[in-house]
Every structure is written in C-alpha cells, then in structure tokens.
Amino acid sequence: PTSQPPPTETEAERAAGRITSPPPSAGHPPTARPNELPPLPNPPPLPPLLRKTPFPPPRQPRPRRGPAARPAPRPPRRARRRRISRFASSLPGFRGALKQRYSDFVVHEVARDGTLVRLTSFDLPDERADTDDEAEADLPRALESFRLLCGDADCEVLRGFLSSVSEGDSDVSPIILSPDADKAHRLEVHDFFKRNFIFLVTDTVEHSDGVQRCIRVRLRSGPRGRRNRTGIGSSEPSGWRDDRPFDSRGSVTWPYHLGKFLRFHLYKENKDTQEALRVIGKMLGLQPRSFRIAGTKDKRAITTQQVTLFKVHASRLAALNNKLTGIKVGDFNYVKEGLVLGQLMGNRFTITLRSVIAESEDMIKVAVDGLIKNGFINYYGLQRFGSASVPTHLVGATLLRGEWRSAVSLILDPREGECDDMNGVREHYKEHGDIDVAIRNFPRRLIAERAILQRLKKYPGNYLQALMAIPRTLRLMYVHSYQSYLWNHAASMRAGMYGLSGVIEGDLVYKKECPGEGTVTDASENNDDHTNASEMDIFAETLPEETIQSVKIADSEDLLKAVYTLEDVVLPLPGSETLFPGNEVAGIYHEIANKDGISLTESIHGVKEFSITSMKGGYRRVLQRPIDCEWDLMTYTDDKIHLVETDLDVLSKAKPSEVNELLSTGASHDDSLDTSGATILAETESIGSSDLLPELAVKLSFTLPTSSYATMAIRELTKTSTSVDCQKALNS
C-alpha cells in the first residue's frame, strides 16, 4: 500500500475545528491522491500563445492577467469552510474570468420531455373551440357509450339536449337523468361527462323525498350557460330539488375547450426568477405564488424557463412585453396541469470565460477533454449556503441544537459585507430592540427577518414561535443546508482518502435495478447566482417530497465482478432512512456533527422540522460528468460585447420588425436587450486594426441534471475557485 499523503488542511482550519482525514483502515489502503493539486510555483513569463495565428498576449496595461504578475488565486476561506477542497483530476487548469458580464452565463431549462426551453415566438395561441368534422364524428360513439352506461331513456334525453345546444338555443335548460341510488355508478357517469363532453357540467341533486338522487347536466360556461343556471323553467316539473344552485367549482367564465393553465416561456436578463415574477404579477394584479415553476434560475445570467399560470389569457401577458425591462414572455400554450417543483430534466448552460490565460491552445483542449472524461466532484456550490457572511448551514446547526434565541440572533444581527444602510437597521435593533422601527426599515425581500420580528411583537421572548413564523420552505432550507455541508465534507474525504479512480469496498452505490437518483431537492439546485438575493427567492416554491432511492454497500464480490462504476457511487444526505458508507467515510459525518454539538441519530428537542432524525434524507452522486459538452475559442477586443447569441438575437433575425418594436418601447435598464449581438459576434474574429490587442475567451456549452451546479464544473476546469471574491480578483 502507498503511504498516506499529507493532509491539505491549513493550520488555521485545524485551529478552527476542521477535521483532517482519519488514517485508513488496514483493509482499505489509500491510493495516491491525483486529485489534489500542489501549490503552484511562481511560473516563468508565459511564451506567446500558439495557434494557427498566434494567440494574443495579455494587454500591456493589464499585467495583472499574466500568471507571472499574479499567482493563481488561492481558494478562499469561504470555500474551505464549505469543504470544497478537492478536484476530480490532477490535470492543470487555465485562468479565466467567470461572469465578467451577465451575458456570459446563459441558461436554458431542459423540460421533462427533453426539449430545450427557448423564447421563439410572441404569437398568441388559437383560443377558438374545435368544431371540425372529427369532433362531430365522435358524437355517435360517445352517445352509444352513454346508452350502455345509463340506458335508452337517458340516452334520448341527452341526445335532445345536445341537439338544442348545437342549434344555438341560448335558453336550453338543464336536464335531470334517471334516479340512481348507486354512488359508484354515479361517479362513473360524472367521469364519463368529464371525458367526453367537457363543455358540460354535472352535479348530483336529491328528490323531495330526501332519499332518491340523480345527476343533473348543464352547459359549463359562456353566455348560454349563464341562463337558467338554477334549473328554473325546466320543461318537466317533478319533485326534484333542482332549484339548488350548481356547484360553483366549475368555472363560469373560462372557456371549456382550453386547458386551465397558461404555460409560457420566461426570458429574463440579470434578474432572479422571483423578482421577474413579482414584476409580472404586479402588472397583472396577481400574487407571486400564482406562478408555478420547475425551479429558479440564476440572477446574474440570461435565462429561459417555463412558467404556468391558472386561468390567465395569453393576451394579458403578451401585452406586457412592451412595458417590461429585462424580461420577455412568449411561446404561449394552454395545458391541463400546472408545473410543479422539480419537473424538469436539467439545464443547458452556455458559459463564456473571458480574459483566458493559457500556455497554448493544447492546454485548454486537454483541460476541457479532461472535464468531459473525468467529470467533477458533485459538490453543493457556495450559493447553496447563501451569500451573506452568516452562512445558512450555521443557522441550520443552531436550529438542530435547539438554540432558538441564538438562531434568531444569527438571522437578525449585523452582517459583514452587507450595505451600510441595512447594517444600520440591524445595529439599531440589536442596541435598542425597537421592533416597530426594524419592521418599518427592513425591506420586504428580507422575509425571514420580517416574519421573526412580527411574531416577536405578538409573542415577546418566544423565539421558537418567531422561527416558526418563517415560511416553511425557508425554515427547511436552513436544515437542508447543514445536510449539504456534511455531504461536501464527506465528498472531500472520499476523494482525498481513496481517490476517484473507481469503486472501493464499502462505497454506497445505487442498485442496478434502480438507476434513477433520489435526493433531497429544492428550487435552488441550479441557481448558480453569486449575488445577495433574498434567501426566500431561492426557496419560494413548495419543496417536493423527499425520495429515497434503493442503495447498497459495495462488497468484495461486487468489486470482482466490476458490477459498479464510480458514477454509481453516492453519499448520503443524513436522515432517518439513509444508510452510511461501510468504510472510513461514514465517520466524517458523525465527527463533524459531534463537533457542532449535533446528533445524527437522535433529537435533543421535540420540534420535528428542526431535526435530522425526522427527515428521510437522500443520496447524491459523488461524480458528475457534463452532458453533450461543446467548446470553442474566440477573441475579442471590447469587454462590453456579447459573445453568445441569446434567444432575442435569434428572434431578431427571424422577425426583426416585431422584436425591434418591442425593444423600442421596452428597452432594458442597461441595454441588455440589445439584438445587435449577432453582428458583433460576426466581427469578433475579423477585428485586426484596433489599437487594443485582442483577448482570448473560451465558450462552453453543456447540460447538467437538476442536482448539479455549473460553477462546480467550471471550478474543475480552471482549478480556480468560483467564489465572488476570487472572481472579483480575476476581473479587477
């Protein structure tokens, strides 16, 4: 067996209580760690970048971009705190700035059926009822089915009713079918009408004797359906109590032939999803919760995703396009069901790294090929833990310990790096405890803070009650964040102790008969944003039901048969129904949790929402490979140009007059909806007379599943942290 390599944790980390990798057991000798890069020495000055035509050297006024002028940025303490410390391969990376412009990060949602969600049209859907010959041909078949279900008499009554409807009789009265004491049979009749005559509504009425029941049928909606809604004026007086109003759950105004949900594509630039939906909702007079999405998308990016709305006509949304800035809606369609959280396959990313520094084109090619072949460690990205100086997993740890007052303080107290005005509000409350002043000055986007203060005003000193006032999705986010924190530690230990060359004995693997991935998921899985957006923006939707995929512990027989690969290896998100690995990696969960004063096997308080033992838990793959990865090299001289075509760029070519009309009346706040990008893209390679030396950019396109972070893929490619501080240093 090879000797154990020295741990990579710094003395400061050990002093702060971080755990170094425990020694390997005798049965599991470690392999050499190819995934940990040694510190980069100060390199000699770079040779000219080689290509068919020489790559441009860095601009002379910007020596900061050369490696000789600045050593590779060290992973920031923030990344080390979240234990994002290993790489999947030892291949060298290259220098490149991520998100120098928000247009450098383009995201398209991948729908459940595998289609790419793009903004392709502003046209309105056809809302006319289907009256073609095919629909007419189905009537005899439907009536014959009804005759078999209800008999000849009721069939003739229905035939006459439909005849009156087809003749345009606006005074057609409801009909009452024969008495039916069988509830199960009545349910069959109701279902029959729902399947075959969606323009009709049925309900059950009872006889004046209080015993007999039968089914009443009427028109669903429209001017004709509004008359005689109570059944008064029926042509056959009887003892039936048909003067009772119809069940109001059937829509009176929504066309019967349209799906009840409007599905549309939301295109946004430099806005987070909830902010965009709030703007649209305010214009329509709707609450943000009226919108349903499959997941949130990045703020500092250009993104396109699906959204659904209940019973809203497309014309109302389309009319907003010339008023919206940085937002456009289109590709309207009516569907029967609304979206639910997690109802997507993943996201397609198109990412541009600017100011690239590499020894040669071959080095870039080797790095990209390495990412495609080896993948990246499937870490939870830094944004999972929030962008504030008080990370969400620390709040989660406090909740798991039952320290309610401390948790409230972490959420309300002043924070390093926050704007002075906001910290002034926090300082004032901490010093004076004036709840009314704090509520008045905290912006509405700080949902957790405002909810806590409003509950403390009602129940002074009851900190648990104050925490329970936070919306449930946000409360759960804190605990889920701590689970993610433990997972990142375990992934780093697995990579550091055993490498990532294959399956080892004791690994947890998905069973072969259960290839899917079950995990604790939430709306932020694909949100690679680095900005100080409201935490509630990321977790504004109902969390999906946790799912537990069937796993097993790999044994020696599995290794001999080579049944499993590294892509099958998972690590648990601790919960009551999860297994731990059968090797040394299991210990890191309990060591870190114990150091934080938390037990993973029992709860020290009775609040289930703040207890890991009350959660099912889940599993997450250790390694993820980008799907359908493509890349290209390009040069540019102007930092402000767009290097990637957006959906609006494509639309402007196909329908220039329509798009230009929209843009002329709804210009973006910083010209972000500029459709001249295609022209600029065409010119980037031909510029040669400029006084400025061209710079190099790498454009990558790849797809990731819903549980993976694009920033972690870029981190693997460049061997550089994607934290805000590090990227600011590269961009400065």
Side-chain angles (χ1 to χ4, degrees):
T2 58
S3 60
Q4 182 183 1
T8 59
E9 292 84 351
T10 64
E11 293 296 333
E13 285 177 302
R14 286 194 286 270
R18 301 293 172 236
I19 304 298
T20 58
S21 303
S25 63
H28 301 289
T31 58
R33 294 188 292 183
N35 56 304
E36 186 67 20
L37 293 180
L40 293 176
N42 290 327
L46 289 177
L49 296 172
L50 302 177
R51 202 184 185 191
K52 292 180 181 178
T53 56
F55 282 174
R59 297 178 189 176
Q60 292 306 316
R62 301 181 180 178
R64 53 181 176 76
R65 288 178 175 161
R70 183 201 299 273
R74 183 184 181 189
R77 185 174 300 276
R78 182 168 176 250
R80 299 198 303 272
R81 283 203 306 261
R82 276 58 159 195
R83 209 62 181 93
I84 302 173
S85 60
R86 307 282 178 175
F87 296 101
S89 77
S90 58
L91 293 172
F94 57 87
R95 193 81 58 81
L98 176 65
K99 290 191 177 184
Q100 191 176 95
R101 290 178 58 81
Y102 65 78
S103 59
D104 294 341
F105 205 91
V106 179
V107 186
H108 290 95
E109 190 170 270
V110 181
R112 182 64 65 87
D113 61 3
T115 58
L116 209 59
V117 177
R118 292 185 178 276
L119 184 68
T120 63
S121 172
F122 297 116
D123 297 338
L124 295 177
D126 187 359
E127 297 187 1
R128 293 174 297 180
D130 184 10
T131 58
D132 57 16
D133 294 338
E134 183 180 350
E136 295 289 341
D138 287 341
L139 181 58
R141 181 172 55 82
L143 285 174
E144 177 60 21
S145 299
F146 184 72
R147 185 185 67 79
L148 296 174
L149 181 64
C150 295
D152 293 338
D154 283 344
C155 183
E156 290 305 314
V157 171
L158 179 59
R159 189 189 303 275
F161 179 77
L162 294 174
S163 178
S164 298
V165 171
S166 64
E167 292 172 0
D169 185 358
S170 60
D171 293 323
V172 62
S173 299
I175 60 172
I176 296 178
L177 304 181
S178 301
D180 190 349
D182 187 346
K183 183 176 181 181
H185 184 263
R186 293 199 305 269
L187 287 174
E188 286 186 53
V189 176
H190 287 303
D191 289 338
F192 172 85
F193 278 96
K194 289 178 181 178
R195 293 193 309 269
N196 295 278
F197 298 106
I198 59 175
F199 57 92
L200 300 179
V201 177
T202 61
D203 67 347
T204 301
V205 294
E206 65 180 31
H207 196 272
S208 57
D209 61 13
V211 177
Q212 300 182 76
R213 287 177 171 80
C214 72
I215 290 176
R216 179 173 56 175
V217 184
R218 69 168 173 100
L219 281 174
R220 176 181 291 273
S221 63
R224 294 177 297 175
R226 291 176 189 157
R227 295 199 180 189
N228 291 326
R229 288 186 63 243
T230 63
I232 298 174
S234 178
S235 59
E236 295 186 16
S238 66
W240 295 104
R241 297 174 177 173
D242 62 344
D243 56 341
R244 181 169 64 90
F246 281 93
D247 191 335
S248 61
R249 287 175 294 181
S251 172
V252 175
T253 59
W254 191 254
Y256 69 85
H257 60 281
L258 295 181
K260 292 186 178 181
F261 288 88
L262 172 66
R263 184 175 63 200
F264 63 94
H265 293 179
L266 171 66
Y267 171 95
K268 61 181 183 63
E269 298 188 352
N270 204 28
K271 285 179 169 49
D272 63 59
T273 302
Q274 292 302 320
E275 178 188 357
L277 295 180
R278 276 196 295 266
V279 171
I280 295 173
K282 186 175 182 179
M283 290 182 174
L284 295 175
L286 300 173
Q287 293 292 327
R289 62 176 174 267
S290 302
F291 299 90
R292 293 189 183 184
I293 58 176
T296 59
K297 299 293 180 283
D298 306 77
K299 174 179 178 179
R300 188 167 174 78
I302 297 177
T303 71
T304 310
Q305 67 185 107
Q306 292 187 105
V307 185
T308 56
L309 261 179
F310 184 67
K311 291 186 178 180
V312 174
H313 285 279
S315 56
R316 292 187 63 194
L317 264 79
L320 303 180
N321 273 326
N322 60 1
K323 303 174 185 176
L324 293 166
T325 59
I327 304 169
K328 290 291 174 277
V329 291
D331 294 87
F332 304 104
N333 187 27
Y334 294 103
V335 294
K336 294 181 179 179
E337 303 292 337
L339 287 169
V340 295
L341 196 66
Q343 196 173 9
L344 74 166
M345 285 187 64
N347 291 279
R348 181 75 178 172
F349 297 89
T350 302
I351 298 173
T352 305
L353 299 175
R354 295 185 184 242
S355 304
V356 168
I357 297 294
E359 291 183 358
S360 66
E361 181 177 345
D362 287 341
M363 173 178 282
I364 298 174
K365 183 179 186 303
V366 168
V368 177
D369 289 345
L371 175 65
I372 296 171
K373 178 182 177 181
N374 302 312
F376 59 95
I377 300 176
N378 201 18
Y379 284 121
Y380 285 99
L382 295 176
Q383 59 276 17
R384 172 76 168 186
F385 307 98
S387 54
S389 60
V390 180
T392 52
H393 77 276
L394 290 185
V395 179
T398 308
L399 294 174
L400 291 170
R401 290 193 297 267
E403 299 172 0
W404 317 129
R405 183 168 186 170
S406 296
V408 168
S409 296
L410 283 174
I411 296 171
L412 293 179
D413 281 356
R415 300 181 174 191
E416 181 183 350
E418 200 168 40
C419 67
D420 293 340
D421 290 345
M422 194 54 55
N423 259 336
V425 176
R426 295 182 185 274
E427 289 280 6
H428 185 273
Y429 173 73
K430 185 175 183 179
E431 183 176 350
H432 302 284
D434 193 327
I435 292 180
D436 289 329
V437 172
I439 292 176
R440 191 161 58 247
N441 289 289
F442 270 125
R444 293 188 177 276
R445 63 182 174 83
L446 297 181
I447 295 176
E449 286 86 342
R450 291 176 61 85
I452 287 174
L453 290 169
Q454 288 166 350
R455 187 62 60 88
L456 284 176
K457 182 178 180 180
K458 188 175 182 180
Y459 301 104
N462 194 331
Y463 297 102
L464 175 57
Q465 276 290 332
L467 291 166
M468 297 303 288
I470 301 173
R472 181 174 181 270
T473 49
L474 185 51
R475 297 199 304 268
L476 293 177
M477 178 266 291
Y478 294 123
V479 179
H480 287 168
S481 178
Y482 188 77
Q483 289 175 304
S484 305
Y485 166 74
L486 293 178
W487 191 97
N488 278 3
H489 270 273
S492 290
M493 181 180 179
R494 169 62 174 81
M497 178 172 285
Y498 302 113
L500 293 174
S501 58
V503 183
I504 62 166
E505 189 173 346
D507 272 341
L508 282 179
V509 291
Y510 280 132
K511 290 184 178 179
K512 282 302 182 182
E513 62 270 22
C514 301
E517 178 168 0
T519 182
V520 180
T521 61
D522 57 64
S524 72
E525 290 290 352
N526 294 289
N527 188 340
D528 274 308
D529 190 23
H530 298 289
T531 59
N532 291 309
S534 167
E535 291 165 341
M536 190 57 192
D537 288 343
I538 300 177
F539 292 85
E541 297 292 321
T542 304
L543 291 172
E545 186 69 21
E546 296 172 1
T547 57
I548 299 296
Q549 188 65 54
S550 182
V551 301
K552 64 164 291 183
I553 296 176
D555 54 28
S556 57
E557 184 177 350
D558 294 323
L559 299 186
L560 287 174
K561 293 180 178 179
V563 177
Y564 298 100
T565 68
L566 190 61
E567 289 182 282
D568 299 313
V569 176
V570 298
L571 286 171
L573 292 152
S576 61
E577 298 184 16
T578 51
L579 294 175
F580 286 96
N583 51 38
E584 297 289 338
V585 177
I588 195 69
Y589 285 94
H590 298 285
E591 289 184 45
I592 296 295
N594 290 340
K595 189 172 289 292
D596 290 333
I598 296 167
S599 171
L600 300 181
T601 57
E602 59 184 18
S603 178
I604 62 173
H605 55 73
V607 184
K608 289 186 176 181
E609 282 190 8
F610 301 145
S611 171
I612 283 183
T613 57
S614 298
M615 295 181 172
K616 291 181 181 180
Y619 301 99
R620 180 178 177 85
R621 296 184 191 276
V622 172
L623 193 74
Q624 180 62 52
R625 289 185 172 91
I627 304 166
D628 297 330
C629 185
E630 302 171 349
W631 69 284
D632 193 17
L633 288 170
M634 51 199 344
T635 57
Y636 64 98
T637 57
D638 186 351
D639 288 339
K640 297 180 180 180
I641 64 172
H642 291 194
L643 300 180
V644 175
E645 270 193 331
T646 67
D647 288 351
L648 275 182
D649 292 331
V650 176
L651 255 178
S652 68
K653 293 178 180 178
K655 302 178 180 179
S657 59
E658 182 179 354
V659 175
N660 289 335
E661 181 181 352
L662 286 174
L663 299 181
S664 64
T665 54
S668 176
H669 55 281
D670 64 348
D671 297 327
S672 62
L673 295 182
D674 177 14
T675 60
S676 61
T679 303
I680 296 175
L681 284 168
E683 294 176 351
T684 54
E685 292 289 348
S686 62
I687 294 175
S689 59
S690 172
D691 293 336
L692 297 174
L693 291 173
E695 292 199 68
L696 185 66
V698 175
K699 182 180 74 172
L700 299 113
S701 296
F702 54 85
T703 301
L704 292 178
T706 57
S707 59
S708 297
Y709 289 78
T711 48
M712 294 297 99
I714 299 301
R715 171 186 176 272
E716 177 71 34
L717 179 67
T718 62
K719 298 300 189 290
T720 304
S721 172
T722 58
S723 71
V724 177
D725 294 339
C726 184
Q727 292 303 314
K728 282 183 177 178
L730 289 173
N731 288 324
S732 62

